[in-house]
């Protein structure tokens, strides 16, 4: 069955056909006024101006959308959606002055979500918790998402987390090196022996990528190299959490190993910016996490101007970024990262899709792409970034 979205105020899509977009290309978007989008089954077949619309053959479901703007379905390329419980208690302590790193060192933080997630996997409620989080993301305009494990850190819960993401249509990432679980008593090398020996063989059958948290109190660069090399040998793409609080060599390691992305970058200095700009590795910026923890923002403008490929994501998780909203992330990009609304749009569509390996069919409104379309009930598509935490989403016409 064909579907015609007609009389749209604006149809907006990143320009060009390549991915990822860098430098000036990041901010180049095509805006078509008074436009239509024609889809057949789950694929876009035509985008154009109403005045050029020819009669469509066969059965067509027509929807008139005056006053609406169509943008590509948003792509969240960095989320920790497979978790149970919350961290509202810790949030309240932080609001009173306790630091995120102190809470982590005291066995709270990530490890408190590990306890809740293990319990949920054991009593069969992890799937439903993950589904609730995914529904929140979809209601905010996300049509493609990545979901990491990393709150299990034992075999059963890691695999259950990956399966939950997969069952919900997400792109699963094995974050087997997120923290050292309590039963290993701080021995990161012994934990990696276990994770790579006992979990990786099964995780690699479900996950598309592997991720590691390179930071003081988590994993150092040598441990990350060992973990990522084994994961690459098992066929997984590579991602890193790097430079969140301190520079620990995540960028050089990402480049050396040919990783898809290095994510966070709040602590990245000039040398890191230059190195990333010369590389194929995408810098995934997570301004909601910096905001939520009261940390410095990543050097987004310097990265883009130097020619680095950047994407934006929520980092949705219960501890450091409790938001599922990519529109909010676009507002933060415009107000805190000095990116234009057009640059933010490309960073949450085409470039995020590139990080997930699906930029050939997701992230643009163009013939041949999946018909993942977000309709904004706004007079100008830039309200996506402009209307801070506003109600924007009119309807989401997803293909899957
Ligand atoms: O990306 N930095 C490490 N991991 C997550 C936070 C996880 C948590 O606090 O539960 C992040 O910010
Ligand atoms: Fe993260």
């Amino acid at each position: 069955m064909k579907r015609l979205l007609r009389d749209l105020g604006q149809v907006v899509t990143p320009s060009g056909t390549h991915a990822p977009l860098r430098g000036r290309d990041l901010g180049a978007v095509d805006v078509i006024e008074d436009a239509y989008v024609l889809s057949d089954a789950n694929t876009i077949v035509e985008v154009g101006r109403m005045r050029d619309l020819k009669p469509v053959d066969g059965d067509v479901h027509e929807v008139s959308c005056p006053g609406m703007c169509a943008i590509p379905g948003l792509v969240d390329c960095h989320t920790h959606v497979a978790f149970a419980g919350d961290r509202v208690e810790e949030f309240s302590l932080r609001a009173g002055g306790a630091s995120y790193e102190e809470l982590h060192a005291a066995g709270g933080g990530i490890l408190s979500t590990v306890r809740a997630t293990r319990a949920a996997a054991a009593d069969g409620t992890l799937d439903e918790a993950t589904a609730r989080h995914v529904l929140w993301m979809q209601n905010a305009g996300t049509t493609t998402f990545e979901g990491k494990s990393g709150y299990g850190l034992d075999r059963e819960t890691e695999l259950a987390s990956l399966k939950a993401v997969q069952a919900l249509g997400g792109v699963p990432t094995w974050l087997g090196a997120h923290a050292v679980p309590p039963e290993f008593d701080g021995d990161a090398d012994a934990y990696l022996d276990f994770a790579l020996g006992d979990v990786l063989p099964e995780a690699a059958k479900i996950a598309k990528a592997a991720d590691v948290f390179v930071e003081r109190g988590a994993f150092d660069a040598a441990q990350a190299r060992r973990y990522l090399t084994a994961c690459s040998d098992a066929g997984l793409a590579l991602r890193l959490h790097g430079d969140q609080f301190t520079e620990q060599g995540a960028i050089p390691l990402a480049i050396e190993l040919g990783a898809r992305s290095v994510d966070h970058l709040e602590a990245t200095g000039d040398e890191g910016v230059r190195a990333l700009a010369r590389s194929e590795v995408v810098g995934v910026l997570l301004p909601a996490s910096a905001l939520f923890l009261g940390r410095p923002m990543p050097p987004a403008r310097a990265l883009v101007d130097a020619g680095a490929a950047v994407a934006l994501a929520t980092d949705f998780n219960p501890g450091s970024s409790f938001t599922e909203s990519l529109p909010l992330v676009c507002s933060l990009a415009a107000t805190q990262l000095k990116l234009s609304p057009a640059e933010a749009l490309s960073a949450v569509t085409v470039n995020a899709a590139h990080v997930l390996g699906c930029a050939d069919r997701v992230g643009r409104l163009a013939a041949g792409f999946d018909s993942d379309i977000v309709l904004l009930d706004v007079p100008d598509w830039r309200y996506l970034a402009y209307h801070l935490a506003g109600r924007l989403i009119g309807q989401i016409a997803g293909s899957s």
Side-chain angles (χ1 to χ4, degrees):
M1 173 84 166
K2 292 181 181 161
R3 185 186 57 201
L4 177 66
L5 302 178
R6 54 176 299 150
D7 310 312
L8 286 153
Q10 295 175 327
V11 172
V12 185
T13 185
S15 302
T17 53
H18 60 293
L21 300 174
R22 296 169 183 269
R24 294 166 78 89
D25 288 351
L26 186 70
V29 296
D30 298 332
V31 180
I32 311 173
E33 312 267 347
D34 192 20
Y36 68 90
V37 181
L38 177 65
S39 306
D40 192 353
N42 294 330
T43 305
I44 296 173
V45 290
E46 249 178 57
V47 178
R49 286 170 201 263
M50 282 305 296
R51 67 168 188 249
D52 299 329
L53 176 62
K54 308 266 177 334
V56 181
D57 295 336
D59 271 354
V60 191
H61 175 58
E62 292 201 19
V63 187
S64 181
C65 313
M68 301 265 220
C69 297
I71 59 170
L74 303 178
V75 180
D76 201 341
C77 67
H78 182 139
T79 87
H80 303 254
V81 73
F83 69 85
D86 62 37
R87 302 249 284 279
V88 65
E89 198 54 46
E90 166 189 319
F91 176 77
S92 308
L93 290 172
R94 279 203 302 108
S99 89
Y100 178 78
E101 285 166 297
E102 278 161 19
L103 292 160
H104 181 74
I110 292 171
L111 293 178
S112 78
T113 301
V114 169
R115 289 189 285 278
T117 306
R118 285 180 175 182
D123 71 17
T125 55
L126 180 59
D127 287 352
E128 117 197 7
T130 308
R132 186 163 59 246
H133 303 148
V134 170
L135 190 62
W136 295 348
M137 297 199 297
Q138 289 169 340
N139 287 338
T142 295
T143 54
T144 301
F145 72 97
E146 180 257 20
K148 302 177 195 296
S149 65
Y151 290 124
L153 307 176
D154 62 20
R155 190 173 185 281
E156 294 67 32
T157 316
E158 284 296 294
L159 298 178
S161 302
L162 294 172
K163 284 179 190 155
V165 171
Q166 184 183 50
L168 292 160
V171 179
T173 295
W174 183 46
L175 178 50
H178 195 193
V180 178
E183 59 274 23
F184 285 88
D185 214 12
D187 188 341
D189 294 309
Y191 169 67
L192 289 180
D193 290 343
F194 156 77
L196 296 175
D198 291 21
V199 189
L200 173 60
E202 284 306 304
K205 294 181 189 158
I206 311 166
K208 300 279 186 223
D211 198 346
V212 53
F213 185 19
V214 184
E215 190 53 74
R216 278 195 316 230
F219 297 89
D220 66 24
Q223 290 160 342
R225 178 183 287 105
R226 177 185 170 209
Y227 171 79
L228 292 172
T229 303
C231 291
S232 176
D233 290 346
L236 296 173
L238 306 182
R239 319 261 320 251
L240 294 84
H241 280 66
D243 296 1
Q244 182 179 11
F245 301 105
T246 55
E247 290 185 290
Q248 298 288 331
I251 290 179
L253 183 63
I255 295 169
E256 174 195 325
L257 299 180
R260 279 273 173 77
S261 73
V262 55
D263 306 35
H264 272 290
L265 307 180
E266 291 93 315
T268 300
D270 294 346
E271 182 47 40
V273 169
R274 281 194 292 272
L276 214 48
R278 288 191 300 265
S279 79
E280 300 297 313
V281 180
V282 178
V284 177
L285 309 176
L286 310 166
S289 169
L291 179 79
F292 202 78
L293 295 183
R295 305 287 306 177
M297 289 287 160
R301 192 69 260 162
L303 284 163
V304 174
D305 291 346
V310 302
L312 287 162
T314 59
D315 196 20
F316 176 41
N317 76 75
S320 72
S321 190
F322 194 49
T323 180
E324 66 279 11
S325 172
L326 282 172
L328 176 67
V329 168
C330 289
S331 293
L332 294 175
T335 59
Q336 309 298 308
L337 299 185
K338 301 185 166 49
L339 300 185
S340 68
E343 290 173 323
L345 181 70
S346 297
V348 293
T349 53
V350 162
N351 280 12
H354 172 77
V355 171
L356 299 185
C358 57
D360 55 334
R361 55 176 184 82
V362 165
R364 284 189 162 96
L365 295 184
F369 278 71
D370 288 1
S371 63
D372 291 340
I373 303 165
V374 171
L375 297 179
L376 303 177
D377 191 2
V378 297
D380 183 300
W381 72 272
R382 292 170 295 183
Y383 274 53
L384 176 68
Y386 169 51
H387 197 169
L388 186 66
R391 237 182 103 83
L392 306 161
I393 310 292
Q395 193 188 320
I396 299 152
S399 67
S400 40

